[in-house]
């Protein structure tokens, strides 16, 4: 068998096979490919295993070696055991590859770190074989006389530049009768072009001025996205559809693939597996929700994943409960499960529905373990088995490749957890193991499409001439050589035992040889593509660019070869590397304009009849009738429909705390209200405001813990001073509003000494200014609505805002509840009359098929008889403004 071997040829190479004829009996292989081939020929069945399992095994070996004796890694391992194990395993593999064989014999003379590493090697469970172990095993098998069915090995690199272990393998193959020699060099093109000048400079250092003939081009772009567009345009302008073009990448062509696909060109498919794909997010989120304090945002992400173990309709109920109360200990969470149980009874048999309900509940057993102390290993294993079972059960039905990858990841994770042999796994290590498992995965969804253009993931994988070479992202130095971890005494001890690990200088020299080979193998054109920024960060120049600097950075050289990618945005014709790229001006399409008046479909008009209105829906209608239609009639939820946060979260918590401490009956003593609120506070936070327990919110939580009990004590003192008694908190009310049904939930309903009812609306806000303005302008719609619900004989009951942070009660003049009276344009009864009049006008408009977006200030020709003007600032906080096409300057206000 004819082989071409290179240290960077394990992934894609160019050419993909030796010679120009049939590829049967010939192959281009890298280290892993060569080991697999030799192991198959020799009947060695042991294959490489995921690095996740090897790191777990090595961590276990380190812990066994560290029992009763401090080791040089002990301090690091106490802080981060997984990272320490991963780094030391890399050290160990480098030594084994170079010929190190740890034994008890002679260990006493070794330096202390060498002895510690050898003790770890000889302690604990067996280490699954890695590439270094397989290399030494195959070398030993060849020297023992195992038959090798290889007729020729050609080396992409010079043999002297290979790492020591691979030089040993080539020597063993040569001793077994296999010819080993370098790949035959191919002459460079004739002189006379910029490419020939550059290649001669690399060969013998001779310098000439570049002429700008398009055979060497440096494309500079402000961003990687623009660079991808430029390269894709250049490829698209090729009449041979990229045939003969090789893209040398750093291993990630995602942006370039997208640009090629937009032009109908085949993609290169050199993208790394992403942990952000929904299938892999399931794994991470399953573990993220077991920690306490619970992060409700993570739980919401789990419930809203497109690929989720819980059916979307059921997950929707749970997500809605979480948005109402960000926690799982309040009333909303069990209420959501009751709705799900009822839904299952409608959809399937009782026994089947009960089993499915229990399965779904097992996915959201949340907030049980501290990240520092860790999750019990048996619980982590159960989560892995549940994930693997769920993914395997439906792997062929939908998202097949992704689910199969998910099965692979979870089973590797399960094996690694078992190999660790620990009672618990800390949160940080669990995260590290998850990312390691995904890193080990080959992403089956990322593959090259058939076409003329080829791509390699490493400069060293280009080993034969190519017509045109594009060095994509010529701004990175590739993998940097590992630093030398051993001092002189340790290196001397290693050399005495026959182990000479590769030095950083030797590794860097091999990288430099790979970079040179890219330039030397181009025959018609060489393009360096350098984005100045990536993901907002400035890129550094490639180390090879510094080597070419004497040729490329002269004033003449720069002018001759440099092409700014931005030219594509400003010019109709741009010449790049011998091709004329023609850009046609895009047709200017006018964006949809903001629209104040909308024609409503009949089905929507029909849904406006027989509705119940609330204080919130009336506020939305008065502020903007179109928002009321979308939110309350259609039921749309905007893009900001996440968990309550900030003031809204604290306000919800304050309401729950008030409900817990203000029992119906006589107003309790303020001191007892304060004491009870303090006692109830922490439990309520955990059940209904869990985000406040997360790291980074300690100050906010401490502030609320101090201020809320004091605020409720002030409310109790105020109501007590007015002789009030509490009828109830969070009281549901309903009534007829003269033309429509009115419903609402009043925060606190009280009764005066004469038995009359009154409403207190609790608010937690930074400033009282907004509420004062509402009252002064006669727009306190909430208070007017609550007064109407509790009133009688056509008059509204007294109502007031109680601002908890400021500890004041605001209402209109003459209110028995107010500590601060606001001179108002109209009293609350007058406000209600205005609301009712505007409701009639706006509902009439809707029933005639007209929607009005008040924030745009249009609709003057509708001749509406309104008392309360629409809110022109309603668009600032509206999450539906994109639908009515509000100008961006308004939404950004």
């Amino acid at each position: 068998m004819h082989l071409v071997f290179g240290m960077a040829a394990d992934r894609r190479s160019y050419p993909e096979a030796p010679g120009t004829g049939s590829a049967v009996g010939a192959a281009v292989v890298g280290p892993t490919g060569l080991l697999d081939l030799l192991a198959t020929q020799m009947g060695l069945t042991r294959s490489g295993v995921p690095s996740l399992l090897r790191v777990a095994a090595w961590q276990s070996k380190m812990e066994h070696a560290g029992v009763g004796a401090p080791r040089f890694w002990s301090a690091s391992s106490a802080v981060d055991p997984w990272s320490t194990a991963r780094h030391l395993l890399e050290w160990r593999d480098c030594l084994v590859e170079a010929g190190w064989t740890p034994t008890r014999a002679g260990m006493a003379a070794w330096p202390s770190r060498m002895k510690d590493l050898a003790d770890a090697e000889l302690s604990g469970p067996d280490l699954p074989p890695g590439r270094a172990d397989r290399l030494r095993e195959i070398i030993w098998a060849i020297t023992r006389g195992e038959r090798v069915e290889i007729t020729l090995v050609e080396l992409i690199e010079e043999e002297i530049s290979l790492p020591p272990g691979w030089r040993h393998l080539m020597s063993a193959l040569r001793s077994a009768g296999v010819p080993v020699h370098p790949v035959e060099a191919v002459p460079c093109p004739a002189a006379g072009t910029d490419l020939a000048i550059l290649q001669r400079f690399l060969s013998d250092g001779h310098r000439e001025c570049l002429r700008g003939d398009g055979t060497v081009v440096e494309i500079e772009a402000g961003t990687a996205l623009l660079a991808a567009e430029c390269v894709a345009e250049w490829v698209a302008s090729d009449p041979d559809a990229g045939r003969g073009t090789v893209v040398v990448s750093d291993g990630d062509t995602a942006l370039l693939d997208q640009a090629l696909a937009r032009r109908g060109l085949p993609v290169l498919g050199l993208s790394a597996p992403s942990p952000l794909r929904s299938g892999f997010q399931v794994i991470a989120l399953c573990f993220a929700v077991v920690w306490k304090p619970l992060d409700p945002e993570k739980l919401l992400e789990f419930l809203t994943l497109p690929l989720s173990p819980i059916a979307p309709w059921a997950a929707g109920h749970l997500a809605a409960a979480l948005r109402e109360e960000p926690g799982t200990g309040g009333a909303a969470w069990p209420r959501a499960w009751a709705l799900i149980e009822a839904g299952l009874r409608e959809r399937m048999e009782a026994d089947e529905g009960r089993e499915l309900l229990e399965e779904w509940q097992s996915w959201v057993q949340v907030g049980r373990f501290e990240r520092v102390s860790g999750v019990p290993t048996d619980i982590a294993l159960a989560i892995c088995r549940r994930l693997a079972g769920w993914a395997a059960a439906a792997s062929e039905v939908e998202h097949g490749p992704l689910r199969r990858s998910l099965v692979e990841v979870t089973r590797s994770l399960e094996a690694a957890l078992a190999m660790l042999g620990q009672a618990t796994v800390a949160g940080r290590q669990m995260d590290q193991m998850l990312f390691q498992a995904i890193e080990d995965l080959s992403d089956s969804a990322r593959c090259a499409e058939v076409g003329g253009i080829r791509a390699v993931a490493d400069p060293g994988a280009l080993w034969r001439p190519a017509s045109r070479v594009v060095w994509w992202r010529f701004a990175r130095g590739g993998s940097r050589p590992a630093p030398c971890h051993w001092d002189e005494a340790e290196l001397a001890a290693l050399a005495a035992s026959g182990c000479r690990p590769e030095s950083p200088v030797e590794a860097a020299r091999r990288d430099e040889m790979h970079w040179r080979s890219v330039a030397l193998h181009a025959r018609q054109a060489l393009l360096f593509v350098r984005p100045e920024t990536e993901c907002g960060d400035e890129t550094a120049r490639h180390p090879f660019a510094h080597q070419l600097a004497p040729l490329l950075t002269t004033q003449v050289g720069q002018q001759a070869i440099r092409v700014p990618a931005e030219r594509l945005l400003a010019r109709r014709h741009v010449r790049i590397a011998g091709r004329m790229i023609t850009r046609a001006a895009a047709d200017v399409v006018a964006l949809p304009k903001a629209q104040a008046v909308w024609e409503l479909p009949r089905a929507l008009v029909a849904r406006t009849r027989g509705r119940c209105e609330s204080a919130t829906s009336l506020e939305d209608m008065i502020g903007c009738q179109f928002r009321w239609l979308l939110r309350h009639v259609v039921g749309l939820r905007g893009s900001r429909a996440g968990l309550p946060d900030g003031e809204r979260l604290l306000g919800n918590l304050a309401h729950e705390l008030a409900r817990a401490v203000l029992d119906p009956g006589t107003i309790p003593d303020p001191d007892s209200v304060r004491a009870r609120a303090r006692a109830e506070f922490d439990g309520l936070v955990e059940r209904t405001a869990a985000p406040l327990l997360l790291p980074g919110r300690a100050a906010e939580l401490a502030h609320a813990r101090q201020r809320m009990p004091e605020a409720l004590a002030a409310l109790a003192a105020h109501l007590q001073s007015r002789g009030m008694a509490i009828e109830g908190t969070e009281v549901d009310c309903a009534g007829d509003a003269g033309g429509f049904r009115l419903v609402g939930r009043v925060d606190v309903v009280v009764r005066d000494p004469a038995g009359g009812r009154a409403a207190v609306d609790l608010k937690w806000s930074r400033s009282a200014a907004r509420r004062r303005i509402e009252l002064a302008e006669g727009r306190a719609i909430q208070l007017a609505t609550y007064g109407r619900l509790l009133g009688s004989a056509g008059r509204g009951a007294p109502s007031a805002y109680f601002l908890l942070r400021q500890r004041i009660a605001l209402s209109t003049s003459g209110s028995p509840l107010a500590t601060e009276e606001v001179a108002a344009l109209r009293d609350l009864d007058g406000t209600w009359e205005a609301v009712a009049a505007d409701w009639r006008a706006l509902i009439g408009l809707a029933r005639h098929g007209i929607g009005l977006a008040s924030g745009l200030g249009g609709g003057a020709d509708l001749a509406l008889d309104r008392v309360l003007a629409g809110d022109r600032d309603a668009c600032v906080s509206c999450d539906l403004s994109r639908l009515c096409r509000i100008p961006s300057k308004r939404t950004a206000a």
Side-chain angles (χ1 to χ4, degrees):
M1 188 172 192
H2 177 193
L3 297 181
V4 172
F5 172 78
M7 292 301 297
D10 260 331
R11 295 182 70 183
R12 298 189 207 160
S13 62
Y14 182 86
E16 297 169 354
T20 58
S22 172
V24 176
V28 180
V29 294
T32 302
L34 180 57
L35 294 181
D36 287 342
L37 185 108
L38 290 171
T40 301
Q41 290 184 0
M42 298 176 186
L44 302 175
T45 57
R46 292 201 306 169
S47 60
V49 298
S51 58
L52 172 73
L53 302 184
R54 300 191 71 241
V55 176
W58 187 253
Q59 181 179 332
S60 180
K61 293 172 81 68
M62 287 169 50
E63 290 168 355
H64 278 83
V67 174
R71 303 292 183 174
F72 76 88
W73 62 73
S74 296
S76 297
S77 187
V79 176
D80 188 351
W82 185 263
S83 294
T84 304
R86 182 161 53 84
H87 284 295
L88 289 184
L89 180 60
E90 291 173 2
W91 294 14
R92 177 262 180 202
D93 285 346
C94 287
L95 294 184
V96 170
E97 184 175 290
W100 181 58
T101 305
T103 59
R104 298 288 182 192
M107 191 185 297
W110 287 359
S112 61
R113 290 203 305 170
M114 297 299 304
K115 287 192 288 187
D116 286 351
L117 203 64
D119 277 339
E121 177 76 17
L122 301 172
S123 302
D126 290 337
L127 179 68
R131 191 177 82 175
D133 303 283
R134 300 178 70 211
L135 172 64
R136 302 317 305 186
E137 181 183 20
I138 287 173
I139 292 174
W140 181 79
I142 294 174
T143 56
R144 194 184 57 188
E146 287 286 348
R147 184 180 177 185
V148 178
E149 297 179 359
I150 297 176
T151 57
L152 172 65
V153 175
E154 292 186 279
L155 300 178
I156 295 175
E157 298 92 353
E158 296 177 5
E159 187 170 351
I160 192 64
S161 70
L162 296 177
W166 299 94
R167 293 203 300 269
H168 297 165
L169 177 59
M170 296 305 133
S171 297
L173 288 172
R174 191 178 286 111
S175 66
V178 179
V180 179
H181 59 72
V183 170
E184 183 181 354
V186 179
C188 291
T193 66
D194 284 354
L195 183 57
I197 293 172
L198 183 143
Q199 291 173 342
R200 184 178 178 186
F201 171 75
L202 291 175
S203 299
D204 59 20
H206 178 77
R207 291 170 58 181
E208 293 182 40
C209 288
L210 300 177
R211 304 160 188 172
D213 61 6
T215 57
V216 177
V217 173
E218 185 177 11
I219 297 175
E220 289 196 343
T223 64
L225 182 62
L226 183 56
E229 291 292 316
C230 184
V231 173
E233 284 282 5
W234 183 79
V235 174
S237 66
D238 185 0
D240 291 334
R243 193 173 306 278
T245 299
V246 177
V247 174
V248 177
S249 171
D250 61 356
D252 189 353
T253 59
L255 277 177
L256 184 54
D257 282 349
Q258 293 171 24
L260 291 170
R262 282 193 292 271
R263 291 158 177 82
L265 298 171
V267 301
L268 308 177
L270 283 179
S271 298
S274 171
L276 301 179
R277 297 184 65 193
S278 60
F280 300 144
Q281 287 184 60
V282 170
I283 311 176
L285 292 172
C286 274
F287 283 97
V289 299
V290 304
W291 307 117
K292 63 179 180 181
L294 169 68
D295 186 347
E297 196 69 49
K298 298 293 185 186
L299 181 54
L300 184 64
E301 288 177 17
F302 174 76
L303 294 170
T304 54
L305 280 175
L307 186 62
S308 173
I310 301 177
W313 68 268
H317 286 304
L318 297 174
L322 208 58
R323 292 186 181 103
E324 181 182 345
E325 294 179 351
T328 60
W333 190 255
R335 189 164 59 243
W337 280 113
L339 291 172
I340 293 171
E341 188 172 4
L344 287 172
R345 283 197 298 268
E346 295 175 1
R347 288 170 168 83
M348 57 188 64
E349 297 293 332
D351 291 343
E352 187 181 356
R354 188 160 45 251
E355 289 179 7
L356 189 56
L357 182 67
E358 291 174 358
E359 179 187 336
W360 287 347
Q361 288 174 336
S362 69
W363 289 103
V364 288
Q365 295 175 356
V366 299
R368 295 185 290 164
F369 309 106
E370 298 285 350
R371 284 185 62 87
V372 175
S373 56
V375 58
T377 300
D378 57 344
I379 300 295
L381 289 170
I383 293 174
C384 289
R385 294 184 189 115
R386 187 164 61 241
L387 276 164
W390 163 71
S395 63
E396 301 301 332
V397 179
E398 57 176 338
H399 306 285
L402 181 56
R403 287 186 186 256
R404 285 193 293 274
S405 299
L406 182 56
V407 172
E408 185 180 338
V409 169
T410 51
R411 287 180 177 163
S412 294
L413 191 60
E414 183 181 348
L417 287 167
M419 194 169 286
L420 278 176
Q422 297 177 340
T424 60
V425 183
R428 180 177 182 178
Q429 177 158 344
M430 196 73 244
D431 294 342
Q432 291 169 322
M433 293 176 71
L434 284 169
F435 281 106
Q436 183 74 60
I438 295 171
E439 241 179 51
D440 292 340
L441 189 68
S442 60
D443 196 341
S444 58
R446 304 295 184 190
C447 56
E449 295 175 349
V450 177
I453 192 168
R454 294 289 184 268
V456 296
D458 190 282
L462 177 60
W463 61 278
R464 279 291 191 188
S467 298
R468 293 164 294 278
V469 176
V470 178
W471 197 327
W472 170 244
R473 280 179 169 163
F474 185 62
R476 298 179 178 182
S479 57
R480 296 181 181 178
C484 183
H485 307 294
W486 313 107
D487 59 28
E488 291 184 3
E490 290 166 336
L491 289 173
L494 288 168
S497 65
C499 172
R500 297 180 183 275
E502 184 177 44
S503 71
V505 173
E506 291 170 323
R509 190 175 295 122
R510 185 172 59 255
D511 284 344
E512 188 265 345
M513 187 184 305
H514 290 166
W515 301 335
R516 291 165 60 91
S517 73
V518 172
L520 293 173
H521 281 130
R523 288 297 174 263
Q524 296 179 16
L526 175 61
L527 283 73
F528 299 105
V529 184
R530 177 178 175 255
E532 295 177 355
T533 60
E534 278 195 70
C535 302
D537 297 325
E538 187 175 354
T539 60
R541 294 189 67 83
H542 195 284
F544 190 50
H546 296 288
Q547 186 173 347
L548 298 175
L551 193 67
L552 302 185
T553 58
T554 64
Q555 184 175 2
V556 174
Q558 286 181 350
Q559 293 176 349
I561 69 167
R562 189 157 298 168
V563 177
E566 285 75 10
R567 286 182 187 173
L568 290 174
L569 305 178
R571 300 183 183 179
R572 182 177 177 82
H573 301 288
V574 179
R575 180 172 291 278
I576 298 178
R579 294 180 190 166
M580 182 63 70
I581 298 174
T582 301
R583 304 270 287 180
D587 293 333
V588 178
V589 179
L591 293 175
K593 295 182 179 179
Q595 187 172 331
V597 180
W598 294 76
E599 182 179 348
L600 306 180
R602 291 182 180 179
L604 179 56
V605 172
R607 293 174 65 174
T608 64
R609 303 181 186 278
R611 282 183 40 79
C612 290
E613 302 295 350
S614 65
T616 302
S617 71
L618 289 171
E619 278 190 327
D620 280 340
M621 175 183 269
I622 302 301
C624 176
Q625 183 235 26
F626 194 59
R627 179 170 64 181
W628 168 81
L629 284 164
L630 294 176
R631 182 176 291 169
H632 299 280
V633 181
V634 178
L636 290 183
R637 186 182 293 273
S639 59
R640 303 175 200 166
L643 297 179
D645 202 3
E647 297 297 301
R648 183 177 160 210
L649 178 65
L650 291 170
N652 291 351
L653 176 61
H655 280 72
E656 292 297 322
L657 192 60
R659 182 161 62 173
V661 303
L662 298 177
D663 296 324
T666 305
I667 303 292
D669 179 77
D671 290 337
S672 66
V673 169
R674 183 185 297 107
R676 189 175 173 188
R678 287 173 177 168
E680 294 279 355
F681 183 86
D682 289 333
L684 274 175
V685 169
E686 186 173 349
R687 293 194 298 273
T688 64
L692 292 174
L693 298 173
L694 295 175
R697 305 194 69 165
E700 193 176 359
L701 177 61
H703 181 265
R705 184 183 284 115
Q706 178 186 6
R707 297 291 296 272
M708 282 188 187
E710 296 295 337
L712 292 176
L715 173 61
H718 169 61
L719 295 176
Q720 200 175 56
S721 69
R722 302 299 170 96
M724 300 287 185
I726 295 176
E727 180 180 315
T729 56
E730 302 294 330
V731 177
D732 290 318
C733 304
D736 181 67
F740 61 94
R741 184 80 173 159
L742 187 62
V743 295
R745 177 174 293 177
V746 184
D747 293 344
V748 183
V749 178
V750 296
R751 288 190 179 271
D752 59 25
R757 304 172 85 191
V760 179
D761 190 25
L762 304 180
K763 298 294 182 186
W764 182 276
S765 55
R766 295 184 182 275
S767 169
R770 177 185 169 189
R771 303 304 171 185
R772 288 193 179 101
I773 292 171
E774 280 183 358
L775 288 164
E777 294 180 352
R779 297 180 62 94
I781 297 173
Q782 277 192 311
L783 293 186
T785 303
Y786 294 155
R788 176 72 180 190
L789 283 168
L790 298 178
S792 60
R795 290 188 59 81
S799 303
Y801 293 125
F802 189 83
L803 307 183
L804 292 162
R805 290 183 70 155
Q806 294 77 19
R807 304 179 200 174
I808 58 174
L810 291 179
S811 191
T812 53
S813 301
S815 171
L817 293 171
T819 59
E820 181 182 322
E821 296 181 359
V822 178
L825 181 64
R826 59 180 71 87
D827 62 14
L828 294 180
D829 284 337
T831 299
W832 174 253
E833 290 173 2
V835 168
D838 283 1
W839 178 87
R840 287 189 291 271
L842 293 169
I843 200 70
L845 204 64
R847 289 174 183 171
H848 280 85
I850 298 174
L852 180 62
S854 302
L856 292 167
D861 55 334
L862 298 176
L864 281 177
D865 185 16
R866 294 191 57 178
V867 181
L868 302 174
D871 187 359
R872 293 183 61 85
D873 293 327
C875 306
V876 174
S877 59
C878 181
D879 54 3
L880 300 170
S881 57
R882 291 183 180 179
L883 294 177
C884 52
R885 304 157 188 166
I886 296 297
S888 59
K889 65 180 181 180
R890 184 177 293 276
T891 56

